[in-house]
């Protein structure tokens, strides 16, 4: 007989249960799930990823989504949207309210409460609206004033995004625990001035000790986030019913002060959603939640509870992902095999997270490590060793038994790469041949022997029975079994077979342990481990670099003929372009190389969201003359460009249309300026302080050294951008220790630091050499840079490259300083060739008429038109775009090349065939409408030699499709990567490849007597059709363009009273 199972709550744990139960006995259960949110379950652990994806409009097909509505249906799961309001235990029914307000009922044989938790909002004045409290929905945003948010769902994030778009500039996050720091990452990603407020004396007080919390504070404050610990929050300051700040008493302060904040995000803990259970009379836990036994049963044998609402034995609710998944597995087993088939008693509270780009881990032998706070140093039966690394700011504390023979637990901040190994060791009865000192300080103790590797040589340090994915409790043995028995030969297949990596995802990243196990196991099986860059090249970037160097290959076509296949795609073209530039440093726009560049390199400028470009001349070392300043100002004024001092100590001009770039750069070149390569994966800039020239503390001439470095390495193409810095003393005003290569002056010369970076995942550089002179600095820099360029992955910065480098910094020192591989002479020669071949790319363009043609706006006319579709306003003394993101144009395309009417359309001149680049496109003007025409000369005339589409990208409506990167897949599909947002389209059909709901109109194109023709409707008709399509897209989402002048200059509050000097 089919058993009716109703699940209340479709969050991650509710979904984990559904997934596991549906696999147990198909057909034995009729599963229904009541989902309170407007979309099916998604990965809440990786919620901050949404700020990159912002794909909530995809509904059930977001990148964070688990199963779509269709997939749930295919597995026999009935998805019901609504909020549970009552459980009728006598009738065995769940009563719910639908989104439309209708009342519904779900009958059950077994009811599973997976209602999770809600964000605890303290009863602090101004934080809630008590009169609007919703007992059935504690997280109801209507119960809080405007500007006060919680952080738990996609809707919460959408609210934060909307508030930021409306002009919010500052945010305060209440709570410095796991959830609070996740929320802090969210507001940080929104580019808001951020504050974190924690009532405890340090961050993450549940998982860390004070030293660990302090280390975490330093790393977070290094990002520019202000951390307040030990504070008392008195009230949320409201102005006009909206949050304006927080009145707090700082630690040690006698009086309260106000932290200004346009947004207040409350993330100071959760409480179990037990209101349904309480209302129907189920027994609750002592600290909330629904009391369950070892079979996950409540006091009603037909009702079960899992996840954050389940109070195990009535004493404790787990608030972590992994325990909830283990509970889901146990309950699914019990329902399928009998109530006593599986017992759940407790879970491991160990966890590893990346918070604000900082690795943080806490692990222990059992729950006593946290419940008894054995890491605080107050338990006489526990002895500890601490390790601080002042260079990278990391901290490690390991706790051992009194005799030093067993690892009890530990705290890791900043460097958690040993987490898995240490976690497994803490479960064992010895130290595996190690000493406490070697484990705590990360290096073998004198006389210590390594013993046999337990990992079989795969580099993980894990035995088969050890857990490799702590989120889903997947062992290394499970991974190997899937590879061997289920033929899972890719990371995607391993994730599908084992679920490893579907939690936080850390174990499946390129530096995680799962790829290591996969590679080693496939090698043991005698199977090739494919790490080729795409279907056209079976080699990774490092292998391809060596092949191109040895064979002296100078073009993509030669590379494909020699060691690849096919015609190339949007993946391999930029990689080959980067390798060719890094090896030979020839002009990237000559000999067809422009069509394998990403759009920034193709136009020698950074494309902006409007489709225009930035212009950033080089200011080597930040050293710039008054005449150069005047020239930049005059040129910016002449061409109507917005100007700004960039974050890299240069002057930037923004808003230049592609066709004006040669004229702008000609004036800059004639003023003595050259390209700054702000558009390339290349050396960007060398930042400097004023050094000994002006500063009373300066020990070396840092400006001259910075200029020397920049002049030597300008134009050097690499796997990712390179930034450098030179500080004239240990006060480090140039922030050289956060750069890919940094020099800090000493009395004897310079200390050289390498492999640091800022950005989303900041990393402190590490010391390569001390007290070296300028000549040695350049020698080591030559070697280091060329070794990195030769061996790194595509788009891999120096910091993660060093993390993956076997032996790390010590190995790098041997290679660069000691020449242990005997390759330094070759590395220096490669650099000399780069330096000798350098030419200012823009200087060559502005004096070469053929190169200038590549910047024409249209192929069929010298006329130009404004393609930005935005207006400009005066703001802060200069011209600003009245910016907005135009809505996506979704749905079928307006026109298809396969459906051309018999009458009314004409063949329109699109330009001369000789002007079109091979395997690339140009824009064509037709009235005010724009068409993109592409030329693939290797194809037959009736098989895509000439292709035409609309020039408007459906994603954000930027008119730039003609500037996209063309690729041909092995199956013959011709693709086009949009140059701004990288959306992928099928050039033949116009269909969206990466986003099926986004589609391009296509048109017939042909060549006659050297003239390219496109069959089009009348110009006015075509323009009007595209305008109506855009208007309909705006109406469908309620989009209204900003009113002129709707971005007034933001007034900064200042003291009105004069300063008392």
């Amino acid at each position: 007989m089919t058993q009716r199972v109703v699940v209340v709550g479709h969050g991650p744990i509710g979904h984990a249960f559904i997934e596991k139960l549906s696999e147990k006995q198909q057909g034995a259960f009729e599963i229904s799930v009541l989902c309170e949110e407007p979309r099916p379950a998604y990965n809440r652990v990786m919620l901050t990823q949404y700020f990159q994806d912002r794909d909530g409009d995809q509904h059930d097909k977001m990148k964070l989504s688990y199963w779509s509505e269709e997939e749930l249906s295919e597995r026999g799961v009935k998805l019901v949207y609504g909020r549970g309001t009552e459980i009728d235990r006598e009738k065995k029914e769940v009563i719910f309210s639908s989104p439309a307000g209708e009342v519904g009922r779900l009958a059950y044989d077994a009811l599973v409460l997976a209602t999770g938790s809600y964000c605890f909002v303290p009863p602090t004045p101004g934080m809630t609206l008590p009169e609007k409290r919703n007992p059935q929905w504690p997280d109801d945003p209507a119960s809080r004033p405007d500007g006060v948010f919680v952080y738990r769902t996609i809707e919460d994030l959408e609210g934060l995004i909307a508030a930021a778009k409306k002009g919010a500039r500052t945010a305060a996050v209440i709570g410095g625990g796991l959830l609070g720091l996740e929320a802090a990452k969210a507001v940080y990603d929104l580019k808001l001035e951020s504050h974190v407020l924690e009532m405890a004396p340090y961050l993450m007080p549940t998982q860390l000790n004070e030293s660990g919390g302090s280390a975490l504070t330093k790393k977070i404050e290094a990002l520019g986030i202000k951390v307040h610990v030990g504070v008392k929050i008195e009230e949320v300051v409201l102005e006009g019913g909206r949050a304006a700040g927080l009145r707090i008493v700082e630690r040690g302060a006698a009086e309260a002060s106000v932290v200004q904040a346009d947004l207040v995000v409350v993330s100071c803990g959760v409480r179990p959603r037990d209101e349904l259970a309480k209302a129907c009379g189920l027994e609750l836990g002592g600290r909330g939640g629904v009391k369950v036994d070892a079979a996950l049963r409540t006091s009603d044998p037909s009702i079960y509870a899992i996840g954050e609402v389940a109070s195990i034995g009535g004493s404790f609710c787990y608030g972590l992902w992994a325990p909830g998944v283990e509970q889901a597995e146990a309950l699914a087993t019990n329902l399928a095999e009998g109530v006593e088939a599986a017992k759940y008693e407790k879970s491991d509270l160990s966890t590893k997270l990346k918070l604000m780009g900082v690795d943080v881990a806490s692990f222990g032998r059992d729950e006593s490590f946290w419940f008894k706070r054995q890491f605080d140093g107050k338990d006489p039966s526990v002895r500890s060793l601490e390790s601080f690394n002042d260079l990278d700011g990391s901290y490690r504390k390991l706790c051992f038994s009194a005799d030093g023979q067993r690892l009890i637990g530990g705290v890791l901040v900043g460097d958690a790469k040993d987490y898995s190994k240490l976690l497994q060791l803490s479960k064992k009865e010895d130290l595996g041949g190690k000493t406490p000192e070697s484990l705590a300080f990360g290096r073998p103790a004198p006389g210590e022997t390594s013993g046999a590797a337990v990992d079989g040589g795969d580099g993980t340090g894990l035995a088969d029975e050890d857990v490799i994915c702590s989120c889903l409790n997947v062992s290394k043995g499970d991974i190997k079994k899937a590879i061997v028995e289920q033929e899972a030969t890719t990371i995607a297949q391993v994730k599908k077979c084992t679920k490893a990596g579907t939690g936080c995802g850390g174990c499946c990243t390129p530096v995680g342990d799962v790829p290591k196990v996969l590679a080693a196991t496939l090698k043991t099986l005698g199977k090739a481990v494919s790490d080729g860059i795409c279907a056209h090249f079976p080699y990774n970037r490092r292998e391809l670099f060596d092949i191109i160097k040895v064979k002296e290959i100078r073009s993509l076509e030669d590379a494909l003929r020699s060691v690849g296949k096919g015609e190339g795609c949007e993946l391999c073209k930029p990689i080959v372009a980067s390798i060719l530039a890094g090896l030979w440093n020839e002009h990237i726009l000559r000999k067809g190389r422009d069509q394998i560049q990403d759009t920034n390199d193709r136009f020698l400028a950074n494309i902006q969201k409007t489709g225009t470009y930035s212009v950033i001349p080089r200011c080597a070392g930040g050293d710039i003359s008054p005449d150069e300043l005047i020239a930049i100002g005059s040129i910016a004024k002449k061409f109507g460009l917005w100007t700004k001092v960039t974050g890299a100590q240069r002057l930037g001009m923004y808003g230049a249309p592609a066709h004006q770039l040669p004229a702008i750069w000609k004036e800059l070149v004639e003023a003595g300026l050259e390209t700054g390569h702000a558009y390339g994966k290349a050396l960007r800039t060398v930042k400097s302080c004023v050094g000994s020239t002006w500063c009373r503390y300066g020990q070396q001439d840092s400006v001259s050294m910075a200029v020397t470095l920049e002049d030597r390495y300008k134009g050097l193409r690499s796997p990712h951008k390179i930034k450098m810095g030179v500080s004239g003393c240990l006060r480090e005003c140039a922030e050289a220790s956060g750069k890919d290569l940094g020099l800090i002056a000493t009395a004897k010369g310079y200390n050289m630091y390498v492999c640091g970076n800022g950005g989303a995942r900041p990393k402190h550089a590490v010391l390569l050499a001390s007290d070296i002179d300028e000549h040695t600095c350049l020698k080591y820099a030559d070697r280091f840079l060329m070794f990195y360029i030769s061996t790194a992955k595509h788009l891999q910065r120096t910091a993660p490259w060093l993390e993956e480098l076997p032996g790390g910094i010590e190995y790098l020192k041997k290679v660069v300083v000691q020449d242990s591989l005997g390759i330094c002479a070759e590395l220096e020669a490669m650099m000399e060739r780069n330096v000798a071949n350098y030419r200012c790319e823009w200087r060559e363009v502005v004096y070469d008429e053929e190169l200038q043609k590549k910047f024409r706006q249209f192929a069929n006319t010298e006329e130009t038109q404004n393609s930005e579709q935005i207006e400009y306003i005066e703001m802060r003394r200069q011209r600003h775009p009245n910016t907005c993101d135009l809505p996506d144009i979704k749905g079928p395309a307006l026109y298809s090349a396969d459906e051309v009417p018999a009458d009314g359309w004409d063949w329109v001149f699109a330009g001369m065939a000789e002007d079109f680049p091979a395997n690339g496109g140009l824009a064509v003007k037709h009235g005010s409408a724009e068409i993109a025409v592409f030329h693939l000369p290797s194809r037959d005339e009736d098989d895509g030699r000439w292709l035409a589409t609309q020039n408007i990208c459906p994603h954000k409506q930027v008119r730039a499709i003609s500037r996209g990167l063309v690729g041909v897949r092995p199956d013959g599909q011709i693709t086009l990567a949009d140059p701004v947002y990288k959306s992928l389209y099928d050039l033949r059909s116009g269909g969206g490849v990466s986003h099926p709901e986004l589609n391009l109109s296509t048109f017939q194109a042909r060549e006659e007597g050297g003239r390219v023709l496109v069959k089009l409707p009348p110009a006015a008709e075509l323009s009007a059709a595209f305008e109506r399509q855009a208007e309909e897209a705006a109406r469908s989402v309620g989009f209204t363009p900003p009113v002129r002048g709707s971005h007034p200059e933001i007034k900064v509050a200042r003291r009105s009273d004069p300063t008392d000097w």
Side-chain angles (χ1 to χ4, degrees):
M1 180 178 175
T2 302
Q3 187 176 7
R4 297 170 300 176
V5 178
V6 173
V7 182
V8 179
H10 197 207
I13 304 307
H15 180 78
F17 168 74
I18 291 168
E19 187 174 321
K20 294 176 186 301
L21 186 63
S22 64
E23 294 171 353
K24 294 289 183 184
Q25 292 182 21
Q26 292 196 3
F29 301 100
E30 181 184 300
I31 306 173
S32 300
V33 58
L34 186 60
C35 181
E36 187 175 74
E37 292 188 53
R39 57 181 58 79
Y42 52 89
N43 190 339
R44 214 185 301 276
V45 175
M46 299 182 70
L47 194 57
T48 51
Q49 173 70 30
Y50 184 78
F51 284 99
Q52 298 179 33
D53 304 334
R54 299 198 184 188
D55 56 353
D57 57 349
Q58 302 296 307
H59 185 54
D60 59 344
K61 295 183 178 66
M62 303 184 302
K63 290 182 180 178
L64 293 176
S65 298
Y66 293 129
W67 290 351
S68 66
E69 293 175 353
E70 182 180 356
E71 289 169 320
L72 285 162
S73 179
E74 288 173 354
R75 290 164 170 82
V77 179
K78 180 183 178 182
L79 175 65
V80 179
Y81 288 109
R83 177 172 295 116
T85 57
E86 182 184 347
I87 298 172
D88 188 331
R89 292 168 57 187
E90 185 175 344
K91 293 182 179 180
K92 288 194 172 183
E93 289 181 338
V94 176
I95 301 157
F96 66 92
S97 172
S98 74
E102 299 172 350
V103 176
R105 293 173 177 268
L106 288 172
Y108 66 84
D109 298 310
L111 175 62
V112 179
L113 298 178
T115 49
S117 61
Y118 67 91
C119 295
F120 170 64
V121 180
T124 303
M127 204 169 287
T128 62
L129 301 173
E131 69 279 7
K132 294 186 178 182
R133 178 178 175 271
N134 186 341
Q136 293 180 340
W137 185 19
D139 284 338
D140 187 351
S143 65
R144 302 185 299 273
D146 286 346
V148 179
F149 297 84
V150 295
Y151 181 83
R152 189 153 184 83
T153 68
I154 296 292
E155 279 59 49
D156 294 332
L157 269 62
E158 285 288 357
L160 289 170
I161 292 170
K165 286 183 176 179
K166 289 179 182 177
R169 294 290 181 270
T170 58
V173 177
I174 300 176
L178 291 175
L179 295 175
L181 295 181
E182 283 291 319
K185 176 68 164 62
V187 296
Y188 177 75
D189 285 343
L190 289 173
K191 313 299 183 188
L192 303 179
E193 178 187 320
S194 306
H195 297 258
V196 175
L197 297 93
E198 169 58 46
M199 281 63 78
Y202 55 89
L203 295 179
M204 289 185 65
T206 302
Q207 290 83 12
L208 302 181
N209 63 338
E210 186 162 4
S211 297
S214 298
L216 180 59
T217 296
K218 290 179 181 178
K219 284 194 166 282
I220 290 175
E221 287 188 329
L223 300 175
I225 296 170
K226 177 62 177 174
V227 177
H228 310 254
V229 294
V231 302
K232 178 184 178 183
I233 300 174
E234 293 190 339
E235 68 169 324
V236 175
V237 178
L238 301 177
E239 293 181 1
R242 179 175 182 81
L246 289 167
R247 188 179 308 279
I248 66 171
V249 179
E250 298 267 17
R251 181 166 59 176
E255 297 182 356
S257 58
V258 174
V259 174
Q260 301 293 332
D262 303 316
L263 305 179
V264 175
V265 184
V266 185
S267 193
C268 51
V270 295
R271 299 292 184 270
R273 288 283 302 271
D274 56 12
E275 64 272 13
L276 279 176
K278 184 177 182 180
C280 74
L282 292 179
E283 185 178 355
L284 303 183
R287 300 167 64 184
V290 188
K291 181 180 178 181
V292 295
D293 61 15
L296 284 314
R297 286 174 304 194
T298 69
S299 54
D300 183 327
S302 297
I303 302 178
Y304 303 82
I306 55 175
E308 293 170 303
V309 75
S311 178
I312 309 304
S315 61
F316 181 72
C317 294
Y318 285 95
L320 298 173
W321 166 298
V325 173
E326 291 173 4
Q327 293 165 19
E329 175 70 49
L331 180 55
T333 300
N334 286 339
L335 290 182
E337 301 175 17
V339 175
E340 301 298 330
K343 289 186 177 182
Y344 176 85
E345 295 177 348
K346 63 180 181 180
S347 288
D348 191 348
L349 289 171
S350 301
T351 185
K352 175 189 173 187
L353 299 166
K354 187 175 285 291
L355 300 168
M356 309 293 292
V358 182
D359 282 324
V360 179
S362 175
F363 65 92
R365 178 171 291 263
D366 55 39
E367 66 274 9
S368 298
F369 186 72
W370 295 276
F371 293 167
K372 295 183 178 180
R373 299 191 65 83
Q374 292 175 330
F375 50 81
D376 271 345
K378 298 177 181 178
D379 187 337
S381 66
V382 177
R383 302 175 66 183
S384 304
L385 288 175
E386 288 182 296
S387 170
F388 293 89
N389 186 333
D390 288 334
L391 292 178
D392 64 10
S394 63
Y395 167 78
R396 172 181 297 206
K397 181 173 185 176
L398 299 185
C399 303
F400 301 89
S401 59
D403 59 6
Q405 298 301 307
R406 290 176 297 139
L407 179 61
I408 303 300
V411 171
L412 310 174
V413 177
D415 180 0
K417 63 179 180 292
D418 292 335
Y419 168 75
S420 294
K421 301 173 189 177
L422 293 170
L423 172 61
Q424 305 308 323
L425 198 58
S426 72
K427 309 301 181 186
K428 299 178 180 178
E429 294 306 311
D430 58 34
L431 298 181
K434 302 290 184 181
T435 64
E437 293 79 8
S438 66
L439 293 171
F441 302 112
R443 62 188 62 183
E448 181 180 312
T449 58
S450 59
V454 298
D455 59 13
D458 60 23
T460 63
L462 302 176
D464 283 0
E465 66 271 17
D466 291 340
V467 173
I468 201 168
C469 173
S470 56
C471 291
L472 279 297
N473 197 32
V474 181
S475 71
K476 177 180 154 181
D478 294 333
I479 302 294
K480 293 172 68 175
K481 184 176 180 181
I483 297 167
V484 174
E485 298 181 6
Q486 297 176 265
E487 297 186 351
T489 59
T490 67
I491 292 296
Q493 290 171 342
V494 169
K495 292 172 74 172
K496 184 177 181 179
C497 292
T498 67
K499 307 305 178 191
T502 58
C504 73
C507 60
C508 284
T509 62
V511 295
D513 285 332
V514 172
K516 297 175 184 175
V517 176
L518 176 62
T521 307
L522 289 177
K523 185 176 181 181
T524 302
L525 295 173
K527 295 184 179 181
V529 183
S530 175
D531 60 350
I533 58 176
C534 70
H536 298 101
F537 290 101
Y539 307 102
N540 60 34
R541 184 192 178 278
R542 177 174 182 170
E543 293 166 338
L544 196 57
F545 185 96
D546 291 338
I547 291 169
I548 291 175
K549 180 177 70 173
V550 172
K551 290 180 173 287
E552 297 189 1
I553 293 171
R554 301 291 178 124
S555 70
L556 172 69
E557 292 74 19
D558 287 346
L560 286 165
R561 279 193 296 268
S562 180
V563 295
K565 62 181 180 181
E567 300 173 61
C569 65
E570 76 282 355
L571 298 176
C572 62
K573 285 184 176 182
I575 296 176
V576 172
S578 172
I579 292 172
L580 293 174
L583 278 169
W584 317 123
N585 205 5
E586 295 172 323
H587 201 291
I588 63 175
L589 300 190
R590 296 191 188 278
K591 299 182 179 180
R593 286 187 289 269
D594 57 325
Q595 295 306 316
I596 65 172
Q597 310 291 334
D598 211 342
T599 185
N600 288 347
D601 282 303
R602 180 179 171 186
F603 289 92
L604 306 180
N606 258 345
I607 195 169
Q608 306 300 318
K609 63 186 290 184
T610 63
T612 58
Y613 293 84
S614 60
V615 176
I616 303 179
R618 188 170 299 285
C619 302
D623 193 11
I624 188 168
S625 72
D627 286 340
E628 290 167 339
L629 286 170
I630 292 169
I632 291 173
S634 300
I635 293 165
K637 193 171 184 178
K638 176 179 177 179
F639 289 93
L641 305 177
W642 182 66
T643 56
K644 183 185 182 299
V645 178
T646 73
Q649 211 176 47
R650 297 190 285 192
L651 290 171
M653 295 170 274
Y654 299 80
H659 64 274
Q660 287 188 355
L661 289 172
I664 294 169
W665 271 104
K666 186 173 183 182
E667 296 199 18
L668 288 168
V669 167
E670 290 178 347
L673 293 158
E674 62 181 355
T675 176
H677 288 97
Y679 47 83
K681 303 303 181 191
L683 172 69
R684 294 290 178 85
T685 184
V686 184
K687 191 174 182 180
S688 72
C689 62
V690 298
S692 59
T693 307
W694 296 97
C695 180
R696 64 187 185 276
Y697 301 113
Q699 294 188 306
Q700 303 291 344
D701 185 356
S702 57
V703 179
S704 294
M705 189 63 191
V707 172
T708 299
L709 286 172
E710 195 155 345
D711 281 342
R712 182 167 181 79
Y713 302 121
K714 60 188 178 185
L716 178 67
R717 288 307 206 285
S718 57
H720 210 300
K721 62 187 175 186
I722 296 174
K723 295 186 177 183
M724 301 184 187
V726 183
S727 287
C729 71
L730 295 178
R731 284 170 175 78
E732 247 284 72
C733 294
E735 300 166 328
S737 59
K739 300 289 189 286
D740 297 283
L741 189 150
L743 300 177
I744 301 177
T746 68
K748 298 178 181 179
Y750 291 94
N751 289 343
M752 177 178 283
Y753 291 83
V754 295
C755 300
N757 63 252
R761 296 183 176 181
K763 194 76 175 178
H764 199 290
V766 292
L767 183 66
L768 182 73
S770 303
D771 294 327
I772 53 177
D773 59 26
E774 294 180 0
H775 173 76
T776 306
C777 284
L778 296 178
K779 179 172 67 174
Y780 288 172
D782 284 357
R783 297 174 179 180
F784 162 70
L785 291 169
M786 289 312 305
F787 187 52
Y788 160 64
I789 291 170
S790 302
T791 60
K793 298 174 183 175
H794 185 55
L795 299 182
Q796 184 178 44
R797 292 202 68 176
T798 56
W801 168 72
L802 180 63
E803 289 178 354
E804 289 188 11
L805 201 63
I809 186 61
E810 296 304 320
Y811 173 72
L812 187 61
K813 288 179 181 178
K814 292 178 181 178
V815 173
V816 171
V817 178
Q818 301 168 22
D819 194 14
S820 62
L821 299 181
I823 61 172
C824 285
E826 181 183 2
L827 296 174
E828 291 171 13
M830 290 166 65
M831 182 61 76
E832 287 299 337
R833 181 170 58 227
N834 259 281
V835 173
N837 288 347
Y838 172 77
R839 303 287 186 277
C840 172
E841 290 162 344
W842 268 115
R843 176 176 286 277
E844 294 196 23
V845 169
V846 300
Y847 296 120
D848 188 315
E849 291 185 2
E850 287 303 311
L851 289 179
Q852 288 177 43
K853 288 181 180 178
K854 297 178 183 294
F855 294 84
R856 288 174 59 187
Q857 187 173 17
F858 300 114
N860 63 335
T861 179
E862 293 299 326
E863 294 180 20
T864 61
Q865 70 179 20
N866 177 15
S867 294
E868 286 188 272
Q869 305 186 85
I870 62 169
E871 64 178 3
Y872 281 83
I873 59 174
E874 290 300 314
M875 180 176 170
R876 293 194 297 273
R877 308 177 308 285
Q878 60 174 322
R879 181 174 175 261
H880 281 245
N882 202 18
T883 53
C884 62
D885 286 331
L886 295 176
D888 294 346
I889 298 176
K890 298 181 180 180
L894 293 179
Y895 303 101
S896 169
D898 296 329
E899 300 175 4
V900 178
D903 300 312
W905 288 34
D906 293 314
W907 286 100
V908 176
F909 174 64
M912 301 304 295
E914 63 185 11
D915 291 337
F916 281 81
N919 303 308
L922 292 175
V924 173
K925 188 175 188 293
H926 186 50
S928 61
E930 297 181 16
I931 303 299
V933 178
F934 299 90
H935 183 207
L936 285 81
S938 65
R939 311 198 76 77
D940 293 336
E941 191 167 344
D942 59 352
D943 187 35
R945 181 180 298 175
W946 291 97
L947 296 167
T949 73
Q950 66 189 62
N951 199 34
I952 300 175
C953 180
H955 186 47
K956 308 296 186 188
Q957 302 187 44
V958 180
R959 298 190 184 192
I961 285 294
S962 62
R963 297 176 238 167
L965 201 57
V966 177
V968 182
R969 293 187 169 181
D971 61 3
Q973 183 184 37
I974 303 172
T975 60
L976 186 283
D978 141 45
V980 184
Y981 296 103
K982 310 306 179 188
S983 298
L984 203 64
Y985 300 93
D986 184 315
L987 259 188
R988 280 199 189 92
S989 69
V993 176
S994 57
H995 299 89
E997 72 280 6
L998 304 179
N999 298 281
L1000 299 171
S1001 288
T1002 58
F1003 306 93
Q1004 294 179 3
R1006 71 187 189 199
E1007 178 187 347
E1008 284 186 1
R1011 292 162 53 88
V1012 181
L1013 305 174
V1014 182
K1015 197 160 192 180
L1016 297 170
E1021 177 185 324
L1022 184 64
S1023 298
F1026 283 142
E1027 288 174 9
R1028 285 195 301 271
Q1029 187 185 38
E1031 290 170 0
E1032 177 56 34
R1035 276 195 298 271
S1036 68
V1037 296
F1039 171 80
T1040 304
V1043 179
R1044 174 178 285 278
S1046 62
H1047 293 289
E1049 186 167 355
I1050 296 162
K1051 302 300 181 183
V1052 180
R1054 302 186 186 279
R1055 291 170 60 95
S1056 58
D1057 55 310
T1059 303
D1060 183 5
W1061 295 102

